[in-house]
Amino acid sequence: MASRAAENRAAATPMAARVRAAVLWRSGSQIAGQLVMWSSTFLVLRLLAPADYGLFAMTQVVIGLATLLNGFSFAAALVRVERLDTHRAGQVFGVLILLNFGLALAQLLAAPWAAAYFHQPRLVAMLRVQSLLHLLTPFIIMPQALLAREIDFRTQGRANLVAAAAGAITAPLCALAGFGVWTLVAAPLALFGTRALMLGLLGRWWIRPRFAIAGAGDLLAYGGTVLVSDILWFVQNQADIVIAGRHFGAAALGCYSEGLFLTQLLVNKFVPALNEVAFPSYARLQAEQGAVGESFARAAGAIMLVALPCYAGLAATAAPLILAVMGPRWADAIPIVRVLALAMPFVTLHILYPPATNALGRPGIAARATAAGAVLLPLAFLVGVRFGPVGMAAAWLATMPVLLAISTYLSLPVLALPARRLGAQILPPLLAATLMGLAVALADRLLPALGPWPRLGLLVALGVLSYGALAWLVARPVVRTAFAMVRGRGAAA
């Protein structure tokens, strides 16, 4: 476990400074790591075929379901408790080992069934090799939870950067060597293995696992509730691949899954990193009446100030972006990306709520909201699949506003946050981003014939300049609040 000296230093540091440093390290390392990974990813996209990504997407359904059962929710309970001793931490570590080694065995045995469901025999060998990921998972989750408890994301950031470099080097080397779809199997193994090793070396943690759970009822009860929410979230977000995998060919599924990957970069890569910092930060504020709600409003405003123009720009520049970065073979993903980009603002705000409500000891709120999604989204996908990949994208756009309304209705009373206060943080950036998106779309129509790269460069420059001006005109208070938070003068969260 982290040393007593480290705990004393953390306790002596003001909360706002600790959170600011955590955000800078977590988001900064995430950005740097993703830049490294993207340079590799987009190179590999040009070397592999859409069908390879379709096969990989099918394996991710199985791995994603197993990941929900890996015990992360029980480790998260360690972040929230006021006092933590090595015995209780050892009990959680024991649970992590039992769960993940069991998952590895289950995936080995279930691989033929998954291959039969998707009508893809190659999945058997892929899933069996990928079961190694589960064996590494306890040695990643445990140190991450202990470091998050101390709001120490510097150590995590350093480990993640080295792991990202390992994955980024492995992927193109394998692709150039002609490994094909196995490139997509090898890179995550290199990333996970390196992350586990670096967290062990840099985190300097060691806890003896304990397999008797007597006295850990509160941790397991909290973790179990979060686990239910996570399972429902999986159903909500993986139902599209489960449904489309039986109706589309591998190439069509690859275009859809990579279009979804592109539009969900912020949602899947950056927002979760901020949520990791937000959860322990909100937990420290839970005793202060109204502090979590106000901090949530400010944080949501700052995140949407950055996210909304990205989504609007993505919708407006989908064609030159995909042709320039991914290549002509991915042209079928263009209409998919345009539709999905319009749904992502709703997804982003929707996933900001759980860290705040969970920190207040109300994990049932997130579970109820995701239960609604686990019903509505699969139903929408069953309709959308009849209209091909674009129909699946339209299902996201039709359903996510409804889910956001449900999660907002459930969460705001718990946060003691008036809707008008949240609206004051969200609506001005939304207006600025919408106007910017319309301006870029109009410019795209008026530009003469150009290659994808020059066209993309001109449109991005126009979008950056126009959004900067519009945000200063219509969202100035939100901009000032965001800058104050970055400088460490805003709310702690």
Side-chain angles (χ1 to χ4, degrees):
M1 186 177 290
S3 67
R4 177 62 60 183
E7 293 178 358
N8 292 338
R9 286 195 300 272
T13 305
M15 175 57 66
R18 291 170 62 191
V19 172
R20 179 171 175 264
V23 170
L24 290 176
W25 263 104
R26 188 63 183 92
S27 58
S29 64
Q30 184 77 6
I31 292 171
Q34 287 304 312
L35 288 175
V36 172
M37 291 295 295
W38 289 344
S39 62
S40 171
T41 296
F42 290 119
L43 172 61
V44 173
L45 276 167
R46 288 181 168 274
L47 296 173
L48 302 184
D52 293 326
Y53 284 89
L55 288 171
F56 182 68
M58 295 173 192
T59 68
Q60 294 310 288
V61 173
V62 178
I63 293 173
L65 177 58
T67 298
L68 290 178
L69 305 175
N70 66 12
F72 175 81
S73 58
F74 301 115
L78 297 177
V79 180
R80 211 184 150 267
V81 295
E82 292 185 9
R83 291 184 175 275
L84 179 64
D85 56 66
T86 56
H87 179 78
R88 300 185 83 193
Q91 289 177 315
V92 172
F93 190 30
V95 169
L96 292 177
I97 291 174
L98 290 175
L99 285 175
N100 285 278
F101 280 54
L103 288 173
L105 177 60
Q107 187 166 310
L108 282 170
L109 299 176
W113 296 346
Y117 174 84
F118 288 112
H119 310 299
Q120 295 289 345
R122 296 176 67 187
L123 297 184
V124 175
M126 293 173 64
L127 285 169
R128 285 178 170 169
V129 173
Q130 288 170 312
S131 65
L132 295 173
L133 296 171
H134 304 306
L135 302 182
L136 296 168
T137 297
F139 305 96
I140 296 174
I141 292 179
M142 196 65 196
Q144 283 183 339
L146 296 174
L147 292 168
R149 176 177 172 78
E150 298 175 13
I151 316 184
D152 176 7
F153 289 88
R154 180 175 181 269
T155 301
Q156 287 195 49
R158 293 162 64 195
N160 291 341
L161 282 174
V162 177
I169 293 170
T170 302
L173 288 178
C174 290
L176 290 169
F179 283 19
V181 71
W182 286 98
T183 299
L184 305 176
V185 175
L189 284 171
L191 188 148
F192 267 56
T194 305
R195 181 178 293 167
L197 176 62
M198 295 306 299
L199 284 170
L201 293 175
L202 299 176
R204 298 180 180 179
W205 71 282
W206 178 249
I207 295 173
R208 182 169 66 87
R210 300 177 185 272
F211 300 101
I213 60 173
D218 55 338
L219 292 177
L220 298 178
Y222 178 89
T225 304
V226 175
L227 174 62
V228 171
S229 177
D230 289 343
I231 292 173
L232 293 171
W233 179 258
F234 171 84
V235 174
Q236 173 180 310
N237 285 273
Q238 292 294 324
D240 53 348
I241 302 297
V242 173
I243 293 169
R246 285 183 65 89
H247 291 80
F248 300 160
L253 183 63
C255 284
Y256 171 77
S257 64
E258 291 310 295
L260 189 63
F261 163 78
L262 183 62
T263 54
Q264 288 188 331
L265 281 176
L266 275 172
V267 170
N268 288 341
K269 303 300 182 182
F270 296 115
V271 175
L274 296 174
N275 278 348
E276 285 182 30
V277 179
F279 175 61
S281 305
Y282 291 140
R284 299 300 185 272
L285 294 172
Q286 60 183 302
E288 301 178 30
Q289 183 68 28
V292 173
E294 178 60 24
S295 295
F296 175 85
R298 290 172 178 262
I303 290 171
M304 299 305 283
L305 182 71
V306 176
L308 287 170
C310 293
Y311 297 136
L314 187 58
T317 65
L321 175 65
I322 288 174
L323 294 176
V325 176
M326 300 172 67
R329 72 170 72 181
W330 293 93
D332 289 344
I334 293 172
I336 300 170
V337 168
R338 283 176 175 156
V339 177
L340 285 171
L342 300 178
M344 288 305 114
F346 303 101
V347 178
T348 302
L349 188 55
H350 176 64
I351 67 174
L352 293 179
Y353 285 115
T357 53
N358 287 352
L360 292 173
R362 299 289 298 276
I365 298 296
R368 292 164 63 188
T370 50
V375 174
L376 295 178
L377 268 173
L379 291 175
F381 293 141
L382 288 171
V383 175
V385 74
R386 302 178 182 180
F387 302 94
V390 177
M392 298 293 286
W396 280 97
L397 182 57
T399 309
M400 284 313 304
V402 178
L403 293 182
L404 175 59
I406 292 172
S407 58
T408 300
Y409 174 78
L410 294 174
S411 301
L412 291 191
V414 175
L415 299 175
L417 177 63
R420 63 180 179 276
R421 174 67 182 125
L422 181 60
Q425 295 291 313
I426 302 299
L427 294 179
L430 176 61
L431 175 60
T434 301
L435 294 175
M436 179 272 287
L438 293 173
V440 172
L442 178 61
D444 188 34
R445 288 179 173 272
L446 297 177
L447 281 175
L450 294 170
W453 280 110
R455 193 177 201 88
L456 179 62
L458 289 172
L459 294 177
V460 169
L462 173 63
V464 170
L465 293 174
S466 61
Y467 182 71
L470 287 165
W472 188 248
L473 285 174
V474 304
R476 193 174 304 177
V478 181
V479 173
R480 286 174 170 167
T481 298
F483 275 111
M485 292 176 67
V486 171
R487 293 196 303 268
R489 299 177 183 176

